[in-house]
Amino acid sequence: MTAILEQIKTKVTSALIKAFGEEMKAIDPLIAGTNNPKFGDYQSNVSMSLTKKLKKNPREIAQEIINNLDITDLCETPEIAGAGFINFKLKINYLETKLRTMQKDSRLGIEKVNQPQKIIVDFSSPNIAKEMHVGHLRSTIIGDSIARVLEFKGHQVLRLNHVGDWGTQFGMLITYLKEVYPSALTTADALDIGDLVTFYKQAKQRFDQDETFKETARQAVVKLQAGDEESLKAWQLLCQQSRREFQVIYNILDIHLNERGESFYNPFLPAVIAELESQNILQEDDGAKCVFLEGFTNKEGNPLPLIVQKTDGGYNYATTDLAALNYRIKEDQASRIIYVTDSGQSNHFAQVFQVAKKAHILPEKIEVTHVPFGLVKGEDGKKLKTRSGETIKLKDLLSEAIIYAQKDLETRLKNEERNETDDFIQNIAKTVGIGAVKYADLSQNRTTDYIFSYKKMLALQGNTAPYMLYAYVRVQGISRKGNIDFENLGENAKIILKEEQELILAKHLLQLEEIINEVEKDLFPNRLCNYLFELSQKFNIFFENCPVLQSEDTVKTSRLLLCDLTAKTLKLGLSLLGIPVLERM
Ligand code: ARG
């Protein structure tokens, strides 16, 4: 089934062509949902945009469109309002049948795309030997949700973890560990990442202060990059150590990723430089090889260079991203590539994309997008820290969410005088706690900073995971209470829309596909969160005003179908955010 918005668009476009000729094919029919039932359900502004072109007044244009419009299956006869708006009101029996079809279908009537794309989502991407921080948490949560939406739409998605596993940090670390803890370089599991991070900090300090150490560390990098066996083994052990620790976080969050770190592209780096050279865009600046950029200038107004090979011959983050881009286009055959990192890296990506275009690594038809996000802040508005002022470990941050969720649950159970098993309590605490962390992140417009507050994200009221989960549980409660099997309400069971609250809920349910399509295109998961929040609110109003189990026959069946479709919509929507539902809580 095509989203209603798309159907109306197609119909208006054909009417435009019929009325005003083929050139109308290229015109956007400017249709959007209305928020005011006075204007119907959808509205088109296209008449106003065509006055100059057609040399007619907009109401006249609107009338001609309507005269040529074949839309009786979907809508009542469209009306012209104000200056020349066309208002569309969906037919009730269209709504009724469409919703019933959705309710019967496991994909809720949402079709996969006709032409699936190969899409790469580059997300999470922490750095080896350094701690995974809240920025990586955001990238992980947002990237996973984007990947889920694209997968649901039928695209072939490659989820790539571009871990920072190469570079000068290893020379430093290997040199330092050789001195203080040599067994870490030869034996597996000798360190855990907590130690590794401490060693990294100490090594960095030595590197900055001690010239001899610095030189030895440099040589160690050269040795590693030259493929020295002992160095490679040490490097692998260090990576393994970090990887294990990252996996703990991915398991808690239920995230699946393919690791393809920076080191993977190492063999391709010289070819990138050669390519830039052969395209005549490589220049030398202070001994470094670089490409001068358009639109990026220094304080004096001179163009900035993107360095791709340092004076000492070493490559950097940008070189690796150029090689990665080339590989992803040529070898992976991706036609859309999405990078999820904090907005601090916006310039980096704009620069890499610009150079890649110039070098013909990145053809016009490939869509590359940086998906930036803001910072996570503590409740004091400053950088998120522990009470004693240290940076928060992700593992602790997540376990604390679960602990808070458990406390809330236990208080509620006590108040309701309910007795539940430990398994039940732990399962709910985990789902609610982790769901709350994910939802709090995803429900924000990702480009803004957000404040991390356990209290807010775990609130049972408001735009939170617990509120949404609770709405779902409410429906399951109805089926338990009334002994109802939603899947067996009979082939002839129908949705009948009479009450205003039923209609409001029905029209909202119908918008799911449009919202998912928007996220597929614009990559803002908070739209889906807002949609689900409004859905829960509309459902609660419906539920308070329209008796379900106490109604008679056909009305009861119809309302049960609405309840079930609401629950299924919540379940699907939450699953696209990476949040599972609960049957009871
Ligand atoms: N490792 C980087 C960081 O922690 C993020 C990598 C993002 N992906 C990329 N292709 N540059 O900041």
Side-chain angles (χ1 to χ4, degrees):
M1 243 182 296
T2 319
I4 310 234
L5 186 70
E6 290 306 319
Q7 290 188 51
I8 300 181
K9 271 188 187 165
T10 316
K11 285 174 188 278
V12 173
T13 301
S14 340
L16 279 166
I17 295 173
K18 265 199 199 156
F20 308 113
E22 275 300 315
E23 54 170 339
M24 290 292 123
K25 227 181 192 157
I27 302 288
D28 180 347
L30 298 175
I31 294 168
T34 67
N35 289 323
N36 189 340
K38 223 171 68 190
F39 304 127
D41 301 310
Y42 294 89
Q43 187 171 64
S44 166
N45 300 347
V46 74
S47 315
M48 270 73 77
S49 76
L50 290 174
T51 44
K52 268 214 190 108
K53 201 179 177 97
L54 298 172
K55 300 197 180 62
K56 285 186 178 176
N57 83 50
R59 288 189 69 100
E60 233 178 289
I61 298 174
Q63 191 56 56
E64 284 192 54
I65 295 175
I66 292 174
N67 294 346
N68 285 284
L69 199 58
D70 172 18
I71 204 164
T72 45
D73 51 339
L74 280 184
C75 301
E76 309 289 347
T77 311
E79 283 172 10
I80 304 173
F85 299 98
I86 308 175
N87 294 341
F88 300 90
K89 190 163 188 266
L90 294 170
K91 276 192 175 154
I92 295 204
N93 63 19
Y94 170 77
L95 275 168
E96 293 170 339
T97 4
K98 170 115 186 184
L99 290 177
R100 175 67 169 128
T101 324
M102 284 169 69
Q103 187 266 342
K104 277 194 218 166
D105 176 30
S106 63
R107 295 181 53 90
L108 305 186
I110 301 174
E111 268 174 14
K112 293 190 179 178
V113 287
N114 289 330
Q115 286 165 330
Q117 275 183 292
K118 178 87 189 263
I119 306 179
I120 289 178
V121 187
D122 171 325
F123 70 104
S124 194
S125 310
N127 300 315
I128 301 283
K130 300 187 196 171
E131 205 120 33
M132 200 171 170
H133 55 68
V134 281
H136 296 122
L137 178 69
R138 275 208 98 171
S139 171
T140 307
I141 293 174
I142 296 171
D144 178 57
S145 173
I146 287 175
R148 283 172 188 261
V149 169
L150 298 172
E151 283 154 358
F152 178 71
K153 287 292 299 190
H155 295 292
Q156 198 188 337
V157 178
L158 181 56
R159 300 157 158 254
L160 285 186
N161 200 1
H162 190 84
V163 294
D165 64 355
W166 203 243
T168 43
Q169 81 242 47
F170 289 99
M172 226 160 67
L173 205 55
I174 290 175
T175 310
Y176 188 70
L177 286 172
K178 236 181 214 160
E179 240 177 73
V180 300
Y181 197 2
S183 62
L185 300 173
T186 50
T187 345
D189 307 342
L191 286 168
D192 77 31
I193 183 123
D195 299 327
L196 198 52
V197 171
T198 316
F199 284 130
Y200 174 80
K201 284 184 191 148
Q202 291 166 351
K204 173 92 176 85
Q205 220 168 33
R206 276 289 293 284
F207 186 86
D208 291 339
Q209 286 165 358
D210 181 341
E211 276 305 319
T212 340
F213 180 89
K214 206 173 190 164
E215 192 38 47
T216 325
R218 279 223 183 95
Q219 282 161 14
V221 181
V222 176
K223 238 171 119 180
L224 174 65
Q225 298 194 334
D228 169 62
E229 214 143 295
E230 199 189 63
S231 312
L232 276 175
K233 171 136 202 266
W235 167 72
Q236 266 160 0
L237 281 178
L238 296 174
C239 289
Q240 203 50 40
Q241 217 59 256
S242 281
R243 204 171 281 142
R244 263 214 327 256
E245 204 64 23
F246 298 155
Q247 196 53 45
V248 173
I249 306 285
Y250 297 142
N251 289 346
I252 302 178
L253 295 171
D254 186 25
I255 303 290
H256 301 269
L257 268 158
N258 305 292
E259 183 182 319
R260 199 198 271 169
E262 293 180 11
S263 64
F264 176 88
Y265 304 101
N266 202 38
F268 311 115
L269 299 177
V272 169
I273 306 295
E275 185 60 30
L276 298 176
E277 203 136 41
S278 76
Q279 303 275 344
N280 274 328
I281 52 178
L282 201 64
Q283 296 190 22
E284 264 199 40
D285 190 42
D286 255 350
K289 293 192 174 153
C290 61
V291 179
F292 279 92
L293 299 155
E294 280 157 40
F296 294 93
T297 45
N298 62 13
K299 279 194 207 104
E300 288 78 43
N302 300 320
L304 274 178
L306 179 72
I307 297 179
V308 289
Q309 190 168 17
K310 293 178 282 184
T311 330
D312 65 6
Y315 306 104
N316 61 18
Y317 190 49
T319 330
T320 307
D321 262 323
L322 285 168
L325 195 52
N326 191 41
Y327 191 91
R328 291 166 181 188
I329 294 169
K330 297 222 171 73
E331 303 300 323
D332 295 321
Q333 307 260 311
S335 61
R336 188 178 183 191
I337 307 171
I338 294 163
Y339 300 80
V340 189
T341 80
D342 64 285
S343 18
Q345 299 200 29
S346 294
N347 276 347
H348 164 75
F349 286 109
Q351 295 173 352
V352 165
F353 298 160
Q354 188 189 109
V355 170
K357 273 189 193 134
K358 246 188 176 162
H360 306 288
I361 289 174
L362 174 58
E364 208 59 58
K365 61 174 199 294
I366 308 286
E367 188 187 353
V368 288
T369 314
H370 176 222
V371 169
F373 54 79
L375 304 172
V376 185
K377 292 183 167 171
E379 291 192 71
D380 54 4
K382 295 196 191 119
K383 207 176 150 196
L384 199 59
K385 286 209 171 94
T386 62
R387 265 174 234 119
S388 53
E390 292 136 50
T391 39
I392 291 196
K393 293 203 170 89
L394 277 196
K395 223 191 328 183
D396 298 344
L397 182 110
L398 297 175
S399 5
E400 212 160 325
I402 299 175
I403 294 169
Y404 277 114
Q406 178 161 349
K407 276 194 197 139
D408 282 2
L409 174 64
E410 279 165 350
T411 319
R412 199 156 47 82
L413 291 179
K414 211 165 153 201
N415 290 340
E416 294 171 8
E417 296 182 3
R418 277 166 61 190
N419 240 330
E420 301 284 358
T421 63
D422 270 357
D423 273 2
F424 176 88
I425 294 176
Q426 265 157 36
N427 179 37
I428 309 262
K430 180 166 180 211
T431 308
V432 173
I434 299 302
V437 171
K438 287 189 181 180
Y439 194 89
D441 196 319
L442 294 168
S443 57
Q444 305 290 323
N445 177 321
R446 58 175 164 73
T447 57
T448 55
D449 297 346
Y450 90 96
I451 297 200
F452 192 93
S453 154
Y454 288 116
K455 199 163 167 239
K456 275 205 190 120
M457 67 177 75
L458 286 165
L460 265 179
Q461 290 300 328
N463 191 8
T464 64
Y467 181 71
M468 243 58 67
L469 290 170
Y470 206 72
Y472 180 84
V473 164
R474 214 168 177 182
V475 177
Q476 307 317 310
I478 299 170
S479 98
R480 275 193 299 274
K481 199 167 150 205
N483 224 336
I484 308 282
D485 176 2
F486 286 126
E487 298 318 314
N488 278 312
L489 290 170
E491 256 318 290
N492 296 325
K494 275 199 185 96
I495 291 180
I496 309 158
L497 302 167
K498 288 246 155 57
E499 299 300 324
E500 162 136 29
Q501 291 88 358
E502 291 174 322
L503 267 167
I504 293 176
L505 176 63
K507 286 180 179 171
H508 196 74
L509 283 166
L510 214 62
Q511 282 165 24
L512 176 68
E513 186 166 11
E514 277 160 37
I515 300 292
I516 292 179
N517 290 350
E518 270 179 35
V519 181
E520 176 194 7
K521 200 163 102 223
D522 301 335
L523 313 174
F524 277 96
N526 63 311
R527 305 244 173 92
L528 181 55
C529 295
N530 284 341
Y531 169 81
L532 295 174
F533 180 43
E534 278 178 37
L535 176 64
S536 310
Q537 287 175 313
K538 287 176 176 162
F539 173 73
N540 285 337
I541 296 175
F542 153 79
F543 194 65
E544 276 150 31
N545 290 282
C546 305
V548 178
L549 291 174
Q550 294 92 313
S551 294
E552 295 299 325
D553 309 335
T554 50
V555 177
K556 176 173 161 184
T557 306
S558 161
R559 289 183 180 165
L560 284 171
L561 290 170
L562 279 178
C563 287
D564 185 43
L565 182 55
T566 303
K568 285 177 169 157
T569 304
L570 285 169
K571 185 174 179 176
L572 173 63
L574 286 170
S575 83
L576 297 179
L577 302 171
I579 302 173
V581 292
L582 293 158
E583 297 306 306
R584 274 187 335 121
M585 67 189 271

